[in-house]
Amino acid sequence: MKPESPALLRHYIGGEFVASAATFDNLCPVDGRLLSRVSEADRATVESAVAAARRALSGPWGKMSVQQRAAMLHKIADGIEARFDEFVAAEVGDTGRPVHQARSLDIARAITNFRTFADLAACANSDAFETPTADGAGALNYTVRKPLGVVGIISPWNLPLLLLTWKVAPALACGNAVVAKPSEESPASATLLAEVMCHAGVPPGVFNLVHGRGADSAGQFLTQSTGIDALTFTGESRTGSTIMKAVADGVKEVSFELGGKNAAVVFADADFDAAVAGVVRSSFTNSGQVCLCSERVYVQRPIYEKFVAAIKEKVHALRIGFPDEAEVDMGPLISRGHRDKVLSYYRLAVEEGATVVAGGGVPVFGDARDQGAYVQPTVWTGLPDNARCNTEEIFGPVCHIAPFDDEEEIIGRVNDSKYGLACALWTTNLSRAHRVARRIHVGLVWVNTWYLRDLRTPFGGVKLSGLGREGGRYSLDFYSDVANICIKL
Ligand SMILES: NC(=O)c1ccc[n+]([C@@H]2O[C@H](COP(=O)([O-])OP(=O)(O)OC[C@H]3O[C@@H](n4cnc5c(N)ncnc54)[C@H](O)[C@@H]3O)[C@@H](O)[C@H]2O)c1
Ligand SMILES: O=C/C=C/C=C(\O)C(=O)O
């Protein structure tokens, strides 16, 4: 029987699904099979999406109250809920992640993103000041939030729907229209989101989706469009730098969530078992493909050897499998190309003199997974802090564990990085926790936990890890023009 021709994923522009003549293949990283063909937007297609967004702002969307927009965001969340299993299947197909993770994290958080920003926007207050004046009558100063206009959104493949909606939700809540460009590695859930938007009655042109790659493709064309008013990007630091140059002439507002080389620091007084479990989670979740993952682990010397042995045992016990296995801990990397990058660091580590405590290669399954993009979860010791494997973001299931002696030393070593996104501290001495946490030069510090999220908090990094903060009112501030009005009384 002739195999079914793969689906064609299309753009969503001005409320219509539109195909392009150019397409690219979307492969499943579990077994390399062709999942779908994807339309690749040219510059004209991207510009048509930007124009549709501009038109939408002067349509019914531009006249909606924040309460009406909030209600629309809840309808979008309802729509995702109604097709929850389809979204799970789309995300798992594109990324190979465990089904249980897609259910509990990726798709669940997309729904939460829309509901959170619907409620935050609807309840947001604004500043007002009674200003004394020489004539004694005074003045009233108050601020108003207005939409930026057309917002370009470019998102990565590692948490596809979570990170796309982390940007789309507040952008829409604040009254903007968006043109979103998901990663070429993970187009499926974004396409489903467009279907949900359409079904929910989001006015045409408010949400536009264009597929394509980055350089010389849809991503670059979007950043170069003079029709966008702001650009929010999540991805590699060097891509952020490229995008910053692209939008510089138009002095566009940017929000960047970029790379990291995050540390986990385990003090001798930590709850040992909790720290071991926590570091396994923070180094190997999503096959290490989370910007917040700990690729640098530092353990205070008295427990160092015991800790390395415990991590080795846990990592050897990690179940690498098919996404739908109930107990699977780890799936493949996103692609053979990304696997080649991670394996190049596996080789480099040995060249740099690392001791390979666990992993270091490619698992052999003897089934279809051998055509996928799997690597072994890997643990190194013995490298100096300035080794490339300890300074460059690898973005795979790997960590290096090094001993340290005291607080002053470890604060300096953790901060000695061109990145500054996140850090996890493990200690039962909470005075130490507060003292050390505020001295670590990152945007996010977790103590005795990791990736515990309150969406009202500021999220973002310093140095090469990003520009700006999103989350809670920080998102409302970025996705709005805040104006001050002064009335003479
Ligand atoms: N800080 C955070 O919150 C956060 C979250 C997730 C991922 N990340 C980072 O993202 C990276 C992994 O994601 P990735 O591989 O998709 O990153 P990437 O930079 O390769 O691509 C991200 C997006 O940018 C697009 N893009 C690439 N080049 C472009 C260009 N020249 N112009 C316009 N768009 C372009 C891609 O098509 C994709 O949609 C890692 O470095 C990770 O740390 C950071
Ligand atoms: O890979 C990076 C993960 C980012 C996560 C978030 O932005 C979030 O949880 O809101």
Side-chain angles (χ1 to χ4, degrees):
M1 184 162 80
K2 184 171 172 299
E4 260 183 59
S5 59
L8 172 66
L9 302 188
R10 294 172 294 169
H11 317 297
Y12 181 66
I13 297 172
E16 302 290 333
F17 284 92
V18 178
S20 291
T23 64
F24 58 91
D25 289 348
N26 180 31
L27 304 179
C28 175
V30 171
D31 54 18
R33 76 183 188 281
L34 178 65
L35 288 171
S36 54
R37 289 183 298 114
V38 189
S39 295
E40 181 161 22
D42 59 13
R43 193 183 294 274
T45 303
V46 170
E47 288 300 339
S48 70
V50 172
R54 183 64 59 190
R55 285 194 301 276
L57 292 170
S58 49
W61 181 250
K63 301 176 182 63
M64 278 192 190
S65 68
V66 65
Q67 285 73 20
Q68 288 171 313
R69 295 197 301 264
M72 185 59 79
L73 264 68
H74 278 296
K75 277 188 76 175
I76 296 165
D78 295 344
I80 299 172
E81 272 176 352
R83 301 182 66 176
F84 194 92
D85 293 341
E86 288 178 75
F87 275 96
V88 169
E91 210 75 310
V92 168
D94 280 358
T95 66
R97 70 196 47 210
V99 168
H100 61 74
Q101 178 197 314
R103 299 189 70 85
S104 62
L105 176 62
D106 300 81
I107 311 310
R109 257 297 301 277
I111 294 164
T112 304
N113 286 345
F114 280 107
R115 297 204 190 285
T116 297
F117 286 107
D119 297 342
L120 279 171
C123 301
N125 64 341
S126 56
D127 296 328
F129 304 94
E130 291 183 65
T131 310
T133 56
D135 64 6
L140 173 66
N141 277 281
Y142 67 98
T143 57
V144 291
R145 280 201 175 96
K146 296 181 273 186
L148 294 171
V150 176
V151 176
I153 298 176
I154 299 177
S155 54
W157 49 258
N158 64 307
L159 297 170
L161 194 68
L162 186 158
L163 290 169
L164 173 62
T165 56
W166 178 240
K167 309 289 186 158
V168 171
L172 297 187
C174 294
N176 300 288
V178 304
V179 178
K181 207 294 291 179
S183 172
E184 56 275 29
E185 304 286 359
S186 54
S189 56
T191 307
L192 271 183
L193 179 64
E195 292 180 15
V196 164
M197 293 277 183
C198 183
H199 185 70
V202 175
V206 171
F207 175 82
N208 301 279
L209 181 74
V210 291
H211 289 295
R213 306 167 205 274
D216 301 321
S217 187
Q220 180 177 321
F221 303 150
L222 182 57
T223 61
Q224 291 174 332
S225 173
T226 55
I228 63 169
D229 298 297
L231 198 284
T232 183
F233 166 73
T234 301
E236 292 200 12
S237 300
R238 65 163 179 267
T239 309
S241 171
T242 301
I243 291 174
M244 203 165 182
K245 293 180 189 121
V247 302
D249 289 349
V251 193
K252 303 288 168 70
E253 299 217 44
V254 292
S255 172
F256 284 166
E257 301 288 353
L258 306 178
K261 189 67 177 183
N262 311 304
V265 179
V266 183
F267 288 92
D269 63 10
D271 174 329
F272 186 85
D273 293 341
V276 169
V279 166
V280 168
R281 196 169 149 257
S282 71
S283 294
F284 301 100
T285 293
N286 201 38
S287 304
Q289 299 168 125
V290 181
C291 60
L292 305 161
C293 276
S294 315
E295 293 187 1
R296 296 187 286 156
V297 179
Y298 301 96
V299 178
Q300 206 159 24
R301 203 173 297 277
I303 62 166
Y304 176 74
E305 295 299 341
K306 183 184 171 193
F307 192 89
V308 171
I311 291 288
K312 175 179 180 178
E313 184 185 342
K314 290 283 187 186
V315 168
H316 280 149
L318 286 175
R319 287 154 302 232
I320 311 170
F322 287 102
D324 57 357
E325 294 169 20
E327 300 302 314
V328 65
D329 294 308
M330 231 182 77
L333 298 175
I334 188 67
S335 67
R336 278 291 176 95
H338 185 57
R339 185 176 79 163
D340 291 344
K341 170 188 170 185
V342 172
L343 290 175
S344 74
Y345 281 100
Y346 284 18
R347 291 189 295 275
L348 175 65
V350 174
E351 290 161 13
E352 290 187 316
T355 297
V356 182
V357 173
V362 174
V364 176
F365 298 105
D367 58 33
R369 286 170 295 176
D370 292 336
Q371 309 313 312
Y374 289 84
V375 295
Q376 291 173 328
T378 295
V379 179
W380 300 314
T381 58
L383 289 177
D385 286 358
N386 65 355
R388 284 183 53 203
C389 290
N390 273 336
T391 55
E392 298 175 13
E393 179 183 60
I394 299 167
F395 215 57
V398 59
C399 67
H400 178 271
I401 310 177
F404 74 92
D405 293 303
D406 61 51
E407 257 181 48
E408 278 313 303
E409 169 206 344
I410 195 53
I411 288 169
R413 291 173 68 184
V414 169
N415 286 338
D416 183 16
S417 171
K418 58 191 179 184
Y419 293 104
L421 184 56
C423 181
L425 302 177
W426 298 88
T427 175
T428 51
N429 178 336
L430 293 190
S431 299
R432 184 207 318 271
H434 289 285
R435 186 171 62 240
V436 173
R438 60 177 52 237
R439 291 183 62 194
I440 303 292
H441 193 197
V442 294
L444 308 140
V445 180
W446 281 287
V447 177
N448 299 327
T449 187
W450 176 75
Y451 199 35
L452 191 159
R453 290 280 288 117
D454 181 324
L455 305 191
R456 297 166 296 181
T457 59
F459 185 100
V462 299
K463 299 191 269 187
L464 280 183
S465 291
L467 270 182
R469 294 291 179 272
E470 296 199 32
R473 65 170 177 78
Y474 303 89
S475 295
L476 304 186
D477 288 345
F478 174 72
Y479 291 103
S480 308
D481 272 337
V482 179
N484 183 73
I485 296 170
C486 177
I487 308 285
K488 182 70 182 67
L489 302 177

Coordinates of all heavy atoms in Angstrom, one line a residue, residues 154-158 163 181-184 212-215 219-220 223 233-237 239 242-243 257-260 290-291 393 395 421 459 465, ligand 1:
I154 N 10.1 35.0 17.7 CA 10.9 33.9 17.1 C 11.3 33.0 18.3 O 11.9 33.4 19.3 CB 12.2 34.5 16.4 CG1 11.8 35.4 15.3 CG2 13.1 33.3 15.9 CD1 13.0 36.1 14.6
S155 N 10.9 31.7 18.1 CA 11.1 30.8 19.3 C 11.9 29.6 18.9 O 12.1 29.3 17.7 CB 9.7 30.4 19.7 OG 8.9 29.9 18.7
P156 N 12.4 28.9 19.9 CA 13.3 27.7 19.7 C 12.6 26.4 19.7 O 11.4 26.3 19.9 CB 14.2 27.8 20.9 CG 13.3 28.3 22.0 CD 12.3 29.2 21.3
W157 N 13.3 25.3 19.6 CA 12.8 24.0 19.5 C 12.8 23.2 20.8 O 12.2 22.1 20.9 CB 13.5 23.2 18.4 CG 15.0 23.2 18.6 CD1 15.9 23.9 17.9 CD2 15.8 22.5 19.6 NE1 17.2 23.7 18.3 CE2 17.1 22.8 19.4 CE3 15.5 21.6 20.6 CZ2 18.2 22.3 20.2 CZ3 16.5 21.1 21.4 CH2 17.8 21.4 21.2
N158 N 13.4 23.7 21.8 CA 13.6 22.8 23.0 C 12.4 22.6 23.8 O 12.1 21.6 24.4 CB 14.8 23.3 23.8 CG 14.6 24.6 24.4 OD1 14.2 25.6 23.8 ND2 14.7 24.7 25.7
L163 N 7.4 27.7 25.1 CA 8.2 29.0 24.9 C 7.5 29.9 23.8 O 7.6 31.1 23.9 CB 9.6 28.7 24.5 CG 10.4 28.1 25.7 CD1 11.7 27.5 25.2 CD2 10.6 29.1 26.8
K181 N 7.4 33.0 14.4 CA 8.2 32.1 13.6 C 8.7 31.1 14.5 O 9.7 31.3 15.2 CB 9.3 32.9 12.9 CG 9.8 32.3 11.6 CD 10.5 31.0 11.7 CE 11.8 31.1 12.4 NZ 12.4 29.7 12.5
P182 N 8.1 29.9 14.6 CA 8.6 28.8 15.4 C 9.9 28.2 14.8 O 10.2 28.5 13.6 CB 7.5 27.8 15.4 CG 6.8 28.0 14.1 CD 7.0 29.4 13.8
S183 N 10.6 27.4 15.6 CA 11.8 26.7 15.0 C 11.4 25.8 13.9 O 10.4 25.1 14.0 CB 12.5 26.0 16.1 OG 13.6 25.2 15.6
E184 N 12.3 25.7 12.9 CA 12.1 24.7 11.8 C 12.1 23.3 12.3 O 11.7 22.4 11.7 CB 13.2 24.9 10.8 CG 14.6 24.8 11.3 CD 15.1 26.1 11.8 OE1 14.3 26.9 12.4 OE2 16.4 26.3 11.8
G212 N 9.7 28.5 8.7 CA 11.0 28.7 7.9 C 12.1 28.6 8.9 O 12.0 28.3 10.1
R213 N 13.3 28.7 8.3 CA 14.5 28.6 9.1 C 14.9 30.0 9.5 O 14.1 30.9 9.6 CB 15.7 28.0 8.2 CG 15.3 26.7 7.5 CD 16.3 26.4 6.4 NE 15.7 25.5 5.5 CZ 15.7 24.2 5.6 NH1 16.2 23.6 6.6 NH2 15.1 23.4 4.7
G214 N 16.2 30.2 9.9 CA 16.6 31.4 10.4 C 17.3 32.3 9.4 O 16.6 33.1 8.7
A215 N 18.6 32.1 9.2 CA 19.3 33.0 8.3 C 18.8 32.7 6.9 O 18.5 31.6 6.5 CB 20.8 32.6 8.4
G219 N 13.0 33.6 9.5 CA 13.5 34.3 10.7 C 14.1 35.6 10.4 O 13.8 36.7 11.0
Q220 N 15.1 35.5 9.5 CA 15.8 36.8 9.2 C 14.9 37.8 8.5 O 14.9 39.0 8.8 CB 17.0 36.4 8.2 CG 17.8 37.6 7.7 CD 18.9 37.3 6.8 OE1 19.6 36.2 7.0 NE2 19.2 38.1 5.8
T223 N 13.0 39.7 11.2 CA 13.8 40.7 11.9 C 14.1 41.9 11.1 O 14.3 43.0 11.6 CB 15.1 40.1 12.4 OG1 15.9 39.7 11.3 CG2 14.9 38.9 13.3
F233 N 12.7 37.3 21.2 CA 13.5 36.1 20.7 C 14.0 35.2 21.8 O 14.5 35.7 22.8 CB 14.7 36.6 19.8 CG 15.7 35.6 19.5 CD1 15.4 34.6 18.6 CD2 16.9 35.5 20.2 CE1 16.3 33.6 18.3 CE2 17.8 34.5 19.9 CZ 17.5 33.5 18.9
T234 N 13.9 34.0 21.5 CA 14.5 33.0 22.4 C 15.3 32.0 21.6 O 14.8 31.4 20.6 CB 13.4 32.2 23.2 OG1 12.6 33.1 23.9 CG2 14.0 31.2 24.1
G235 N 16.6 31.9 22.0 CA 17.4 31.1 21.2 C 18.9 31.3 21.6 O 19.2 31.7 22.7
E236 N 19.8 30.9 20.7 CA 21.2 31.0 21.0 C 21.7 32.4 21.1 O 21.2 33.3 20.4 CB 22.0 30.2 19.9 CG 21.8 28.7 19.9 CD 22.9 28.0 19.2 OE1 24.0 28.6 18.9 OE2 22.8 26.8 19.0
S237 N 22.7 32.6 21.9 CA 23.2 33.9 22.2 C 23.7 34.5 20.9 O 23.5 35.7 20.6 CB 24.3 33.9 23.2 OG 23.8 33.4 24.4
T239 N 22.7 34.0 17.9 CA 21.6 34.4 17.1 C 21.0 35.7 17.6 O 20.7 36.6 16.8 CB 20.5 33.3 17.1 OG1 21.1 32.0 16.8 CG2 19.4 33.6 16.1
T242 N 23.0 38.5 16.2 CA 22.7 38.7 14.8 C 21.4 39.5 14.7 O 21.2 40.4 13.9 CB 22.5 37.4 14.1 OG1 23.8 36.7 14.2 CG2 22.2 37.6 12.6
I243 N 20.4 39.1 15.5 CA 19.1 39.7 15.4 C 19.1 41.1 15.9 O 18.5 42.1 15.4 CB 18.0 38.9 16.2 CG1 17.7 37.6 15.6 CG2 16.7 39.7 16.5 CD1 16.9 36.6 16.3
E257 N 15.9 36.0 25.3 CA 16.1 34.9 26.3 C 17.1 34.0 25.6 O 16.8 33.3 24.6 CB 14.8 34.1 26.6 CG 13.7 35.0 27.1 CD 13.9 35.3 28.6 OE1 14.9 34.9 29.2 OE2 13.2 36.1 29.1
L258 N 18.3 34.0 26.1 CA 19.4 33.4 25.3 C 20.0 32.2 26.0 O 19.5 31.6 26.9 CB 20.5 34.4 24.9 CG 19.9 35.7 24.2 CD1 21.0 36.7 24.0 CD2 19.2 35.3 22.9
G259 N 21.3 31.9 25.7 CA 21.9 30.7 26.1 C 22.4 30.7 27.6 O 22.3 31.8 28.3
G260 N 22.9 29.6 28.1 CA 23.3 29.6 29.4 C 24.4 28.5 29.6 O 24.6 27.6 28.7
V290 N 17.4 22.2 28.0 CA 16.7 23.3 28.6 C 17.8 24.3 28.9 O 18.8 24.0 29.5 CB 16.0 22.8 29.9 CG1 15.2 24.0 30.6 CG2 15.1 21.6 29.6
C291 N 17.4 25.6 28.6 CA 18.4 26.6 28.8 C 18.9 26.8 30.3 O 19.9 27.3 30.5 CB 17.8 28.0 28.4 SG 16.3 28.4 29.3
E393 N 28.2 26.4 25.9 CA 26.9 25.8 26.1 C 26.9 24.5 25.2 O 27.1 24.7 24.0 CB 25.8 26.7 25.8 CG 24.4 26.0 25.9 CD 23.3 26.9 25.6 OE1 23.2 27.4 24.4 OE2 22.4 27.2 26.4
F395 N 24.3 22.0 25.5 CA 22.8 21.8 25.3 C 22.5 20.4 25.0 O 21.7 20.0 24.1 CB 22.3 22.7 24.2 CG 20.9 23.3 24.4 CD1 20.6 24.0 25.6 CD2 19.9 23.1 23.6 CE1 19.4 24.5 25.8 CE2 18.6 23.5 23.8 CZ 18.3 24.3 24.9
L421 N 22.5 33.0 33.3 CA 21.1 32.8 33.3 C 20.6 32.3 34.6 O 19.8 32.9 35.3 CB 20.7 31.8 32.2 CG 19.3 31.5 32.0 CD1 18.5 32.8 31.7 CD2 19.1 30.5 30.8
F459 N 11.8 36.7 34.6 CA 12.5 35.5 34.1 C 13.5 36.1 33.0 O 13.0 36.8 32.1 CB 11.6 34.5 33.4 CG 12.3 33.3 32.9 CD1 12.3 32.1 33.7 CD2 13.0 33.3 31.7 CE1 12.9 31.0 33.2 CE2 13.6 32.2 31.3 CZ 13.6 31.0 32.0
S465 N 23.3 35.8 28.4 CA 22.1 35.0 28.6 C 20.9 35.8 28.3 O 19.8 35.2 28.3 CB 22.1 34.4 30.0 OG 23.1 33.4 30.1
Ligands
LIG1 N1 17.0 31.8 28.0 C1 15.9 31.1 27.7 O1 14.8 31.3 28.2 C2 16.1 30.1 26.6 C3 15.0 29.2 26.4 C4 15.1 28.2 25.5 C5 16.2 28.1 24.7 N2 17.2 29.0 24.9 C6 18.5 28.8 24.1 O2 18.1 28.5 22.7 C7 19.1 27.7 22.1 C8 18.5 26.4 21.5 O3 17.5 26.8 20.6 P1 17.8 26.9 19.1 O4 18.8 25.9 18.7 O5 16.4 26.8 18.4 O6 18.4 28.4 18.9 P2 18.7 29.1 17.5 O7 19.2 30.4 17.9 O8 19.4 28.3 16.6 O9 17.2 29.3 16.9 C9 16.2 29.9 17.6 C10 15.1 30.5 16.6 O10 15.8 31.5 15.9 C11 15.7 31.3 14.5 N3 16.9 31.9 13.9 C12 18.1 31.3 13.8 N4 18.9 32.1 13.1 C13 18.2 33.3 12.9 C14 18.6 34.5 12.3 N5 19.8 34.8 11.8 N6 17.6 35.5 12.2 C15 16.4 35.2 12.7 N7 16.0 34.1 13.3 C16 16.9 33.1 13.4 C17 15.5 29.8 14.4 O11 14.9 29.5 13.1 C18 14.7 29.5 15.6 O12 13.3 29.7 15.3 C19 20.1 27.4 23.3 O13 21.2 28.2 23.2 C20 19.3 27.7 24.5 O14 20.1 28.0 25.6 C21 17.2 30.0 25.8

